[in-house]
C-alpha cells in the first residue's frame, strides 16, 4: 500500500456537496491512496447524514497512515450547515 500514489482531495465549500462526495469515495475500493484535506468533523457529520460509516485515520505530522484513505485535518471557522454558505469559512475553502 505504501508504494501506491497519493492523491490529495479538498472538498471545497464545506456546506456544498464536496464533503458528501469525499464520504462516498471513502466507501469504494481504490488502487491508490487518498488524503482528504478537510475538517474531520464535517466529514463525520456528512457520513451520519448519509447513513454511512466513516472510520478514517488522521494524517499527523509527516507520518501518513498506510491506509487507502486518511484525513489531513483542517478545521472550519464556524459550524457548517449543509446548503448554507457561511462567509466565515472562506479561509477554509481557500
Amino acid at each position: 500500500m505504501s508504494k501506491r500514489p497519493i492523491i490529495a482531495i479538498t472538498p471545497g465549500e464545506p456546506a456544498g456537496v464536496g464533503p458528501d462526495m469525499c464520504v462516498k469515495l471513502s466507501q469504494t475500493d481504490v488502487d491508490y491512496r487518498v488524503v482528504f484535506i478537510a475538517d474531520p468533523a464535517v466529514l463525520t457529520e456528512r457520513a451520519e447524514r448519509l447513513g454511512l460509516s466513516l472510520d478514517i485515520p488522521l494524517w499527523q505530522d509527516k507520518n501518513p497512515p498506510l491506509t487507502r484513505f486518511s484525513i489531513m485535518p483542517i478545521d472550519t471557522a464556524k459550524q457548517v450547515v449543509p446548503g448554507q454558505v457561511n462567509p466565515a469559512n472562506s479561509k477554509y475553502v481557500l
Side-chain angles (χ1 to χ4, degrees):
M1 178 62 66
S2 64
K3 299 284 185 184
R4 296 179 188 221
I6 299 173
I7 298 173
I9 297 177
T10 60
E13 169 57 52
V17 299
D20 301 64
M21 294 172 62
C22 290
V23 169
K24 288 182 179 184
L25 176 61
S26 75
Q27 308 296 305
T28 65
D29 187 23
V30 296
D31 290 332
Y32 43 85
R33 293 168 56 203
V34 176
V35 58
F36 298 115
I37 303 172
D39 187 326
V42 171
L43 296 182
T44 299
E45 190 275 334
R46 290 301 176 82
E48 290 172 3
R49 283 180 181 263
L50 294 168
L52 299 171
S53 63
L54 188 72
D55 185 23
I56 301 177
L58 296 182
W59 180 310
Q60 298 177 352
D61 299 323
K62 296 179 182 179
N63 299 313
L66 299 178
T67 58
R68 284 207 168 106
F69 296 97
S70 59
I71 299 173
M72 183 178 293
I74 306 288
D75 294 333
T76 54
K78 298 287 182 181
Q79 181 179 357
V80 175
V81 178
Q84 294 182 9
V85 176
N86 185 335
N89 286 322
S90 61
K91 287 185 182 180
Y92 172 87
V93 174
L94 294 174

